[in-house]
Amino acid sequence: MRKSTVTRLFIGSAVAVGAGIILAFASVAVALWSGSFVVDGHDVVDIRPNAGAWTMLVLAMLAVIAVIAGGIGGLVAWIGALLNTARLEDKMWFVLLLVLGLVSFGWVAMIAYVIAGPDGMANEGTGRLGSTA
């Protein structure tokens, strides 16, 4: 997978996760403010099943789907970056992506890869695999 494809997939996934999180917070906030939830102190004690509550429930489910899809897209982008950097002679980027991904900091490595990482497929047709120039 080319670096440009990995970059587009990673950025799209990050946008999907961000939009899902914002939509989830907004739908819960609107449901609270519209009176769909009956609150006693810090506890929700009842739900009023009105049209607004069902709309916010559907929006919250769409938010969850967006976050899950974004997470899967980010995983695919990470695997694509691993496969791309495995083709390089210098394995520093591969090891960085692999180790940080396995210890749950893959997003940090992916941001660094998107900004400054090499493309392992850039010189595929020239026979000079692994060259970053």
Side-chain angles (χ1 to χ4, degrees):
M1 186 182 294
R2 292 198 170 278
K3 182 182 176 192
S4 61
T5 305
V6 170
T7 300
R8 277 186 265 133
L9 186 57
F10 178 71
I11 291 172
S13 298
V15 168
V17 169
I21 290 170
I22 290 170
L23 183 60
F25 279 120
S27 63
V28 170
V30 169
L32 282 170
W33 291 330
S34 69
S36 297
F37 295 138
V38 177
V39 180
D40 183 21
H42 293 290
D43 299 326
V44 175
V45 293
D46 193 19
I47 298 174
R48 294 189 181 118
N50 55 24
W54 288 110
T55 303
M56 293 308 118
L57 178 64
V58 169
L59 287 177
M61 289 194 309
L62 286 174
V64 169
I65 291 170
V67 170
I68 290 171
I72 291 170
L75 177 65
V76 170
W78 177 68
I79 292 170
L82 283 173
L83 294 173
N84 190 330
T85 55
R87 304 171 69 99
L88 298 170
E89 289 179 21
D90 182 13
K91 300 295 183 201
M92 192 249 337
W93 276 102
F94 175 78
V95 171
L96 179 75
L97 284 167
L98 180 64
V99 170
L100 286 177
L102 292 176
V103 295
S104 299
F105 287 104
W107 58 274
V108 174
M110 284 299 295
I111 290 171
Y113 175 74
V114 164
I115 293 171
D119 189 355
M121 297 183 74
N123 298 320
E124 188 174 77
T126 64
R128 296 182 299 151
L129 205 57
S131 174
T132 58

